[in-house]
Amino acid sequence: MKSHLPLIVTFLLSICVATGCSSGTKQAVVETAPATYQPTPESPPADRLHSVAAPKLSEVEEAVKRVFKDVAVIHPDYKSSFLTGDFNGDLSQDLAVVLKPVPEKLADMNEEHPRWLLRDPRVPHNPREPLHVEKDEVLLAVIHGYGNNDWRDPEATQTFLLKNVVGSGMRVQNGTEFVKNFRSEKKPRPQGDLIGETLKGNEGYLYYNAATYSWYDPKTFKGEAETPGVFHGRSARR
Amino acid sequence: MRKVLPILTLFLFVVALILPLSSPQTVEGQAATEALTTDMDAKTDDLFNGFGALGTPIDECVAEPVPPTARGNGRFEDNKFIFSERETIEDGLGPTYNDVGCVECHQSVDVGAFGQQMEFRAGHLSGGAFVDAPGGQLIHARATDSDIVEHISTAETVKAFRIVLSTLGDGFVECLANATLQNNVAAQPAAQRGTLSQVPVTEANNTLRFGRFGWKAQHASLVSFSGDAYLNEMGITNPFDGFGGRSSSAPDAGTHENPASTAEGVIDVTFPSPFDPVPDPEDDGLDVLAFADFMAATRAPGRQNPIPAAATRGDPLFTAVGCAVCHTRTFTTAAPGTLINGGAFSVPAALGNKIIHPFSDFALHNIGTGDGIVQNAGQSSANQMRTAPLWGIRARNRLMHEGLNITIFDSIQLHAGQATTARNNFNSLSAGQRNDLIAFVLSL
């Protein structure tokens, strides 16, 4: 037994040394605290909208071609076929332009996943009843601005293609002034500028809110549509 | 024997050195493994990921559920039961609230997942800055008394609905280290780079951590998130209701019931007002721990099975067009034993070193859909939203933060701002490729 004593002592010491060494790896690691983080500036300067030049026909044609390629063109029967304003309220100038489909390309306009969002602002959007563009239909395309060049930017392609909203006397109504001055108990809450016009004899406004364009007729407006899934019926979506 | 002894001693010394090093207790350096996933089918009993004990389904006629007393020391089935309980006025429900229990909203397709319910937030601009509506930005949909049902005035011009998010797999998200999120964002192109918000962890004396839960990434820990939801969604005050996602800008917000914003003005409804019969805190915090541990113990949403051929074709397109820049495919959670949440939680083995596929960077971005609401990430976050995690998205059909979009296609087209390039790249695909990419998203 005496002769085994050094062996036993060495073995026990070895375990102690080895265990002591490895215990360091079991110490709790604490996650690094957040370092000060500088996000990328992304908001355009507030005065950008004041320096936007008037649109030229060639620029409008280029924007239409960028989105619609050869399936739709500027409607030749409308003298004032385009307007600019910040319709979606993102401080970038947007373009609204009256279009007609190219008859031979009607099938392309009605493909399942086009490069735009087809909507009828006068009726609630129902995805189960997809809309279609008809031959010779008069459409209003709103191309949202992006980047340094607003709707002229090569990347400005987010587009709503609107049915049944091209009337007469189309003009831009400043959104802030509309909210401030329009005296009505029930009025919509536009995110940006509105398009005022006379549609089928009724004066009204086209406006953007809750990710879509809607039609506001002051005589018949009863509040904005109910949001699906809301707990209890508040009349407004935003 | 004299010659053998030194050799034997040396051999034993080497063995003694190797033995502890080969012990399974040492976790650093272990290869990460895929996190367990659920098949997103309520008929399958596959939610438990191994964090804590499983327990047995609760039958109240036999025994009441027992909540944990500290994170991880309870049982999953007990916590699931508590998560699914309906609160009453005697429990502290209200006086203003949105619903009567966690599972009322987080239910489809399985306990903890999605719901179609919305919460409503409102405020106004003052000098260009967002200001909460009087009584707090969260306008509750329900109340226990008609006198205090909340209404806002027309002066509150900034309004937003937010749809319910899934909590499945959130335990893995909680265990993502700050550095992991920060490194991911730092690698994003400047034009698409996200903003990580630093938010207080209530259970760690409001230590800051990168937010990751909620539409504004307003919470960093599941206890903070649960405590906030217990107060703000159910009206039950608790030790963890804190300041993280507070619904009021009052300095002492979170320490008592939310005041009610009514047509007659802001009404204090907290105990001992006639509207609230229960002293604060109405919960001792154990329910909050049960909620947090239930969510932490759920598996991550798994992919559609089998994966359709179109989805397989769309898989590389998702990355090619740039979706994956913000909808980050893969993260690995921190190693087991890592102290997170300001030191309040040690990453357990079931959640540590796990590979997850949330399809989110958990950062805030401006993609043109911002709701104008500011919570705890400063005024610059008004029009930013957290990248929605896409895991499990096939189980919901109301998309984006307001739930107003029904199709993946519409949702893609509504991406603007920092997501413009990705949307344009999507639109440059052929019709077949666009279908494939949508099929891929719907397989998540």
Side-chain angles (χ1 to χ4, degrees):
Chain A
M1 182 63 195
K2 197 175 178 182
S3 62
H4 290 132
L5 192 60
L7 181 66
I8 292 166
V9 169
T10 306
F11 182 64
L12 289 175
L13 276 174
S14 300
I15 289 176
C16 289
V17 169
T19 308
C21 291
S22 66
S23 67
T25 62
K26 291 180 198 166
Q27 283 180 344
V29 178
V30 182
E31 71 170 336
T32 315
T36 304
Y37 184 74
Q38 187 64 45
T40 309
E42 57 196 49
S43 300
D47 60 350
R48 272 187 51 204
L49 292 176
H50 300 295
S51 59
V52 176
K56 296 174 186 167
L57 179 61
S58 60
E59 294 171 330
V60 175
E61 287 174 334
E62 188 180 325
V64 170
K65 202 162 187 62
R66 185 193 313 137
V67 176
F68 294 95
K69 313 295 182 197
D70 57 353
V71 303
V73 294
I74 298 175
H75 206 299
D77 297 346
Y78 286 78
K79 283 185 180 176
S80 302
S81 57
F82 51 85
L83 301 164
T84 58
D86 180 16
F87 304 120
N88 64 347
D90 65 351
L91 297 180
S92 184
Q93 285 280 325
D94 311 315
L95 171 71
V97 53
V98 182
L99 300 181
K100 63 176 277 189
V102 173
E104 303 79 47
K105 301 284 184 179
L106 203 57
D108 293 338
M109 282 218 86
N110 287 313
E111 68 170 297
E112 185 183 3
H113 295 134
R115 293 169 176 81
W116 51 83
L117 291 161
L118 183 62
R119 297 284 187 268
D120 184 343
R122 292 162 61 95
V123 295
H125 177 52
N126 182 356
R128 290 186 177 81
E129 294 176 13
L131 299 170
H132 292 94
V133 174
E134 307 296 334
K135 188 185 172 191
D136 299 327
E137 187 169 1
V138 182
L139 303 158
L140 184 70
V142 184
I143 301 173
H144 288 160
Y146 174 74
N148 294 328
N149 297 309
D150 302 286
W151 58 268
R152 295 177 177 88
D153 197 285
E155 292 228 65
T157 61
Q158 186 184 58
T159 301
F160 280 79
L161 187 60
L162 309 177
K163 291 167 67 80
N164 303 319
V165 289
V166 176
S168 60
M170 295 178 78
R171 65 197 181 282
V172 176
Q173 165 70 51
N174 180 278
T176 308
E177 289 174 8
F178 173 85
V179 172
K180 195 174 170 183
N181 300 332
F182 203 88
R183 301 290 177 198
S184 171
E185 286 232 341
K186 287 187 175 176
K187 62 183 175 184
R189 287 179 294 278
Q191 284 185 212
D193 298 334
L194 303 87
I195 297 173
E197 61 176 321
T198 304
L199 198 56
K200 295 180 179 174
N202 294 318
E203 184 78 9
Y205 296 88
L206 197 60
Y207 68 97
Y208 186 81
N209 185 339
T212 194
Y213 282 89
S214 302
W215 174 250
Y216 169 55
D217 182 340
K219 292 177 185 167
T220 59
F221 187 72
K222 292 176 180 167
E224 285 164 324
E226 191 69 45
T227 300
V230 176
F231 289 111
H232 287 278
R234 289 191 182 272
S235 61
R237 283 191 289 190
R238 288 181 68 95
Chain B
M1 187 62 189
R2 277 181 172 274
K3 286 181 182 176
V4 173
L5 191 63
I7 295 170
L8 190 60
T9 304
L10 184 64
F11 174 74
L12 286 173
F13 180 74
V14 171
V15 169
L17 276 176
I18 290 171
L19 266 177
L21 295 176
S22 63
S23 162
Q25 291 175 332
T26 303
V27 290
E28 287 183 27
Q30 281 187 346
T33 55
E34 287 284 338
L36 292 173
T37 57
T38 165
D39 62 3
M40 303 289 283
D41 180 348
K43 300 184 294 298
T44 312
D45 184 13
D46 70 345
L47 276 186
F48 183 56
N49 68 22
F51 170 50
L54 174 60
T56 53
I58 296 297
D59 179 352
E60 275 193 296
C61 297
V62 178
E64 289 288 318
V66 179
T69 54
R71 293 225 40 198
N73 73 358
R75 293 185 294 263
F76 178 74
E77 289 293 350
D78 295 56
N79 296 338
K80 182 181 174 186
F81 187 92
I82 295 168
F83 188 91
S84 305
E85 281 182 316
R86 293 168 68 92
E87 309 291 350
T88 64
I89 291 176
E90 290 71 33
D91 296 324
L93 178 70
T96 56
Y97 65 103
N98 278 331
D99 218 321
V100 297
C102 306
V103 82
E104 304 299 317
C105 294
H106 299 284
Q107 189 272 335
S108 173
V109 294
D110 211 336
V111 177
F114 299 111
Q116 82 283 10
Q117 296 87 342
M118 308 269 189
E119 67 165 31
F120 179 54
R121 292 179 184 266
H124 57 274
L125 295 174
S126 176
F130 175 82
V131 178
D132 290 345
Q137 65 174 245
L138 186 62
I139 311 300
H140 297 89
R142 303 183 183 189
T144 56
D145 186 320
S146 59
D147 288 345
I148 54 168
V149 171
E150 295 199 277
H151 295 274
I152 58 167
S153 78
T154 54
E156 308 312 320
T157 53
V158 182
K159 307 178 183 75
F161 281 103
R162 304 240 188 98
I163 199 164
V164 169
L165 289 161
S166 169
T167 69
L168 294 184
D170 274 358
F172 299 104
V173 178
E174 183 176 36
C175 291
L176 293 174
N178 285 320
T180 302
L181 296 178
Q182 191 160 21
N183 292 341
N184 180 63
V185 166
Q188 292 173 335
Q192 282 82 44
R193 187 164 297 149
T195 302
L196 293 167
S197 54
Q198 298 181 37
V199 301
V201 178
T202 310
E203 68 272 28
N205 199 24
N206 292 324
T207 301
L208 295 179
R209 190 176 191 234
F210 284 139
R212 59 203 66 197
F213 301 120
W215 280 108
K216 290 280 186 179
Q218 68 268 28
H219 282 296
S221 86
L222 289 175
V223 170
S224 302
F225 164 56
S226 302
D228 170 17
Y230 215 13
L231 171 64
N232 290 315
E233 308 299 348
M234 289 170 260
I236 296 181
T237 53
N238 64 85
F240 301 112
D241 52 22
F243 297 86
R246 65 189 190 182
S247 65
S248 168
S249 56
D252 58 348
T255 59
H256 50 67
E257 302 286 359
N258 294 301
S261 176
T262 74
E264 283 74 43
V266 176
I267 298 177
D268 182 0
V269 298
T270 203
F271 179 85
S273 82
F275 303 103
D276 185 4
V278 185
D280 300 315
E282 291 159 336
D283 177 70
D284 56 11
L286 299 187
D287 277 3
V288 175
L289 292 177
F291 302 153
D293 277 2
F294 166 71
M295 292 185 282
T298 56
R299 295 187 183 188
R303 291 283 303 275
Q304 186 179 13
N305 187 18
I307 296 172
T312 303
R313 291 193 301 271
D315 190 331
L317 296 173
F318 186 85
T319 301
V321 304
C323 306
V325 170
C326 305
H327 291 284
T328 307
R329 285 171 173 266
T330 302
F331 280 111
T332 301
T333 62
T338 305
L339 285 175
I340 60 171
N341 296 346
F345 186 47
S346 176
V347 174
L351 302 176
N353 260 347
K354 297 298 180 204
I355 299 166
I356 58 170
H357 307 284
F359 290 88
S360 172
D361 58 6
F362 304 101
L364 299 173
H365 293 266
N366 184 345
I367 64 158
T369 59
D371 59 3
I373 303 289
V374 174
Q375 286 184 251
N376 55 6
Q379 292 293 333
S380 63
S381 68
N383 286 316
Q384 295 179 316
M385 304 300 290
R386 182 192 67 157
T387 305
L390 299 182
W391 58 3
I393 198 170
R394 71 181 187 281
R396 76 179 311 157
N397 59 12
R398 296 182 182 186
L399 308 169
M400 310 294 276
H401 74 271
E402 290 197 313
L404 295 175
N405 296 293
I406 312 293
T407 68
I408 299 296
F409 172 75
D410 282 7
S411 301
I412 293 171
Q413 295 299 353
L414 285 169
H415 280 58
Q418 291 183 278
T420 295
T421 301
R423 188 203 65 234
N424 286 343
N425 290 342
F426 170 81
N427 283 334
S428 298
L429 299 173
S430 69
Q433 288 175 315
R434 292 200 292 271
N435 281 329
D436 290 345
L437 197 152
I438 290 169
F440 170 70
V441 174
L442 285 173
S443 75
L444 297 177

